[in-house]
């Protein structure tokens, strides 16, 4: 009995020790755990995800073709959605619908205005038929998430512009251009910033001096005149895709300088560390030391910096398009939509041309900024 008890106790000891051993988490798991505690940043992650999902499934979410005009609905106001309608016997019945619009003459202001037409009821539904498109560019279909049941009816949830085009559908489709410019611009800034900043901090000497003088020269040039000069060189007969790429390059020409300086500072502090010296003594080349040891050591900081750079890229594209030196119609972006509200008369007559795209830009920029702040705090090893 004594031997059996001794054997059982010895067998149970490793299990007890296993239960009390601490759980070791990697740096990415620790970063994710700290990020989830940042509730505003975590909520912003979902908002940013929904915005990019809207960009990806734009045609599915748009209820109207963005180039379709309506001469009978210039500056049509936003149409509200109703849930109940009155039957002939006076009872209330559930019916998801919108009221039609009719033109009237305002006797005070002496101009045409739109009012609800109670006699025209436009039933609404989910997964309704509409214009033809290719889902994700591959699957041909004509189904849309929400809109009028009758494909011939037109509902302007966020109003219409001067040509009677649906603002909601144009904002949804413009998300694809504006948000992708942020990603493409940040990707270019990442390559240029990490490459030049890494060379500057790793080698020092004349390489460091040359790259830093280049950065100081670019940062000393006024941004708007530089953009105007570069955008003026874009031929007007270029196709929209080429113009989009060039505008992205213009936006990225300034964005990489801040990242390059941050990378240079990190490299200056890391190149004297023991693990870098050990890597050199093991026979690794400079490129392998930078790629395998130095860049991964602060990759989380780079991700946080890039997240904060995305809203700056979006605002830069919006500013360029609003000033008329960026993307031009027929390309639809948030900047080109804001250009429709450049004069005070249009804003007074149709304020939704400014409020609708402006609100979407504010939400997207704030969500990206909160997300970047949360990632930066989570990536900081000294933050609690």
């Amino acid at each position: 009995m004594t031997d059996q008890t001794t054997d059982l106790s010895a067998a149970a000891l490793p299990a007890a020790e296993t239960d009390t051993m601490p759980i070791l988490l990697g740096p990415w798991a620790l970063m994710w755990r700290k990020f989830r505690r940042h509730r505003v940043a975590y909520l912003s992650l979902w908002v940013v995800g929904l915005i990019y999902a809207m960009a990806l499934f734009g045609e599915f979410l748009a209820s109207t073709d963005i180039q379709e005009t309506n001469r009978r609905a210039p500056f049509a106001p936003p149409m509200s959605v109703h849930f109940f309608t009155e039957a002939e016997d006076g009872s209330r019945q559930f019916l998801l619908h919108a009221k039609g619009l009719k033109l009237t003459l305002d006797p005070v202001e002496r101009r045409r205005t739109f009012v609800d037409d109670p006699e025209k009821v436009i039933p609404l539904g989910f997964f309704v038929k509409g214009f033809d498109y290719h889902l994700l560019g591959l699957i041909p279909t004509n189904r849309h998430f929400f809109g009028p049941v009758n494909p011939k009816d037109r509902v302007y949830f966020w109003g219409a512009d001067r040509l009677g085009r649906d603002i909601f559908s144009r904002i949804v489709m413009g998300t694809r251009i504006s948000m992708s410019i942020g990603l493409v611009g940040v990707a270019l800034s990442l390559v240029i910033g990490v490459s030049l900043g890494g060379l500057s901090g790793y080698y020092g000497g004349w390489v460091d001096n040359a790259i830093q003088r280049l950065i100081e020269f670019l940062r000393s040039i006024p941004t708007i005149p530089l953009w105007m000069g570069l955008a003026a060189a874009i031929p007007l007969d270029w196709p929209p895709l080429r113009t989009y790429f060039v505008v992205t390059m213009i936006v990225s020409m300034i964005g990489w300088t801040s990242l390059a300086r941050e990378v240079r500072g990190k490299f200056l502090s890391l190149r004297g560390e023991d693990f870098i010296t050990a890597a050199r003594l093991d026979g690794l080349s400079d490129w392998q030391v930078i790629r395998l040891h130095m860049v991964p050591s602060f990759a989380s900081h780079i991700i946080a910096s890039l997240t904060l750079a995305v809203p700056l890229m979006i605002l830069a594209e919006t500013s360029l398009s609003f000033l008329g030196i960026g993307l031009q119609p027929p390309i639809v972006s948030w900047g080109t939509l804001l250009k429709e509200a450049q004069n005070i008369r249009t804003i007074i007559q149709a304020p939704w041309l400014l409020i609708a795209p402006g609100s979407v830009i504010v939400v997207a920029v704030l969500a990206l900024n909160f997300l970047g702040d949360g990632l930066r705090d989570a990536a900081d090893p000294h933050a609690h």
Side-chain angles (χ1 to χ4, degrees), residues 2-25:
T2 305
D3 295 338
Q4 293 179 357
T5 306
T6 305
D7 294 339
L8 290 174
S9 300
L13 184 59
E17 290 181 353
T18 303
D19 295 338
T20 58
M21 287 180 61
I23 300 175
L24 300 179
L25 298 177

Side-chain angles (χ1 to χ4, degrees), residues 210-366:
I211 294 177
Q212 293 308 307
R213 299 298 82 75
L214 174 62
I215 292 176
E216 291 171 0
F217 173 74
L218 290 177
R219 294 177 69 91
S220 66
I221 301 176
T223 305
I224 297 298
L226 175 63
W227 285 342
M228 294 178 66
L230 293 174
I234 301 177
L236 297 177
D237 58 346
W238 274 14
L241 184 60
R242 190 184 304 174
T243 304
Y244 165 81
F245 179 75
V246 172
V247 170
T248 305
M249 293 288 293
I250 293 173
V251 172
S252 304
M253 286 189 65
I254 301 298
W256 66 270
T257 56
S258 299
L259 180 61
R261 285 192 163 180
E262 294 180 5
V263 173
R264 171 184 177 267
K266 290 289 185 180
F267 271 49
L268 287 174
S269 62
L270 288 175
R271 66 181 183 178
E273 295 290 336
D274 293 338
F275 72 96
I276 299 299
T277 304
R280 290 172 179 166
L281 294 176
D282 285 340
L284 297 182
S285 63
D286 292 341
W287 167 246
Q288 289 175 324
V289 171
I290 293 174
R291 181 173 59 90
L292 299 177
H293 294 280
M294 300 186 76
V295 173
S297 64
F298 61 100
S300 57
H301 178 79
I302 293 178
I303 294 174
S305 299
L306 293 179
T307 307
L308 291 172
V310 172
L312 297 179
M313 295 288 181
I314 295 174
L315 290 176
E317 179 275 325
T318 303
S319 302
L320 285 173
S321 301
F322 179 76
L323 294 174
I325 57 178
L327 300 175
Q328 301 294 329
I331 299 178
V332 179
S333 70
W334 292 344
T336 57
L337 292 175
L338 280 178
K339 192 179 178 182
E340 297 286 337
Q342 278 188 328
N343 59 80
I344 190 65
R345 181 177 179 182
T346 302
I347 296 176
I348 294 176
Q349 186 175 357
W352 51 87
L353 294 180
L354 175 65
I355 295 174
S359 301
V360 174
I361 292 172
V362 169
V363 171
V365 170
L366 286 178

